[in-house]
Amino acid sequence: MATTPMAPPNTAAGNPNFDGNQAAAPPPPGTDMTGICFRDQLWLNTYPLDRNLVFDYFALSPFYDFSCNNELLRLRSIHPLDISHLSKMTGTEFMLSEVTEPHLFVFRKQKRDSPEKVTPMLTYYILDGSIYQAPQLCNVFAARVGRALYHISKAFTTAASKLEKIGYVEADNEGASFESKAGKETIDFKEVKRIDHILASLHRKLPPAPPPPPFPEGYAPLPIAEVENSSEAQQGTESQLPPVDPIIDQGPPKRMKV
């Protein structure tokens, strides 16, 4: 198997024997490193990124744990992803769970207690040469819920501001309409008095109405009750007439036979 030369851990921190600097301690297991990514363009330009060499590329990143079982296999010149050897060991290990060459590689960090019992810990993925730590599901839910709450509160704030503006406009319109109605319904008492004075002066100038003419001799007016009864009887006889057929009774007249 072709492997790349392994770089010693924490080479960027300097050599304590020559530089006088202490080597930086690796991050403890389970540290949240979702805010960083790793990419080595020189390595990508030199070696192909496939399932045989992807673990060597992942070992260069700060996400790699040198105390894992895969590192022990590398020291013994065994492929670090050989499941036949990893299943016989216990402890922390990395497994290549999903592969879509050459764009996507997913590594799962897990703790093996027996050949059948495995506890997942963290997940890492390599996307087009950049290595990331996948966020945990609870963090994803918290971020999505927080984003949804932010947009909901923003929408309520915008709606409340618009409703306040609409309420002010309606109040102004109602006030203006009330004022216009009140102005239209206002009665000018001076004008009423002036009109009453004109009508009274005209009534005084006009002569009084003549009395009604007398009834002719021999005429006796009917009482009011009898007049009303006769009018009702006439209306009853008119209502009892048969209806007129619009086709038979109002048709064209028949022609005479010659």
Side-chain angles (χ1 to χ4, degrees), residues 7 36 40 90 94 114 163 178 183 188 219:
I36 64 174
D40 190 342
T90 58
F94 290 93
S114 65
L163 288 175
F178 179 76
D188 191 355
Y219 175 78

Side-chain angles (χ1 to χ4, degrees), residues 70-89:
N70 307 86
E71 185 66 20
L72 299 178
L73 295 180
R74 293 180 72 191
L75 295 176
R76 292 161 54 184
S77 300
I78 302 175
H79 197 282
L81 298 176
D82 192 348
I83 188 62
S84 61
H85 291 80
L86 289 175
S87 60
K88 299 176 182 178
M89 305 171 70

Side-chain angles (χ1 to χ4, degrees), residues 22-254:
Q22 294 183 357
T31 303
D32 186 9
M33 303 176 68
T34 55
I36 64 174
C37 71
F38 175 82
R39 184 181 181 87
D40 190 342
Q41 192 62 42
L42 180 61
W43 192 98
L44 295 173
N45 294 336
T46 306
Y47 304 98
L49 191 61
D50 53 16
R51 64 176 61 245
N52 294 323
L53 299 178
V54 67
F55 191 87
D56 296 330
Y57 180 61
F58 179 74
L60 301 177
S61 67
F63 308 107
Y64 184 67
D65 187 0
F66 286 92
S67 62
C68 63
N69 296 335
N70 307 86
E71 185 66 20
L72 299 178
L73 295 180
R74 293 180 72 191
L75 295 176
R76 292 161 54 184
S77 300
I78 302 175
H79 197 282
L81 298 176
D82 192 348
I83 188 62
S84 61
H85 291 80
L86 289 175
S87 60
K88 299 176 182 178
M89 305 171 70
T90 58
T92 305
E93 64 183 20
F94 290 93
M95 288 294 298
L96 187 62
S97 58
E98 296 183 15
V99 178
T100 306
E101 294 182 352
H103 302 288
L104 179 63
F105 302 87
V106 180
F107 282 97
R108 184 174 66 247
K109 185 179 182 180
Q110 58 190 14
K111 182 180 179 182
R112 183 177 293 276
D113 298 324
S114 65
E116 293 81 13
K117 185 178 180 181
V118 175
T119 304
M121 299 173 62
L122 294 172
T123 304
Y124 305 91
Y125 61 95
I126 304 175
L127 182 61
D128 293 332
S130 299
I131 306 177
Y132 306 88
Q133 177 182 341
Q136 296 184 0
L137 190 60
C138 59
N139 296 334
V140 174
F141 283 159
R144 296 294 175 85
V145 171
R147 183 178 298 179
L149 290 176
Y150 167 76
H151 288 294
I152 291 173
S153 61
K154 186 177 180 181
F156 273 110
T157 303
T158 305
S161 62
K162 291 185 177 181
L163 288 175
E164 289 178 358
K165 294 180 181 178
I166 293 172
Y168 292 150
V169 171
E170 289 182 353
D172 295 341
N173 294 337
E174 289 179 359
S177 61
F178 179 76
E179 291 177 358
S180 61
K181 290 181 180 179
K184 291 180 180 179
E185 295 177 358
T186 301
I187 299 174
D188 191 355
F189 291 99
K190 294 182 179 180
E191 188 70 17
V192 173
K193 291 182 178 180
R194 189 176 68 85
I195 294 174
D196 290 343
H197 180 69
I198 293 172
L199 293 176
S201 62
L202 291 175
H203 181 68
R204 287 193 299 269
K205 292 179 181 179
L206 292 175
F215 291 104
E217 295 180 359
Y219 175 78
L222 296 174
I224 299 175
E226 294 182 0
V227 173
E228 292 179 355
N229 293 335
S230 61
S231 63
E232 290 179 358
Q234 185 178 2
Q235 291 178 359
T237 54
E238 291 179 356
S239 61
Q240 292 177 0
L241 294 176
V244 179
D245 193 299
I247 299 177
I248 298 176
D249 298 337
Q250 295 184 3
K254 295 182 180 180

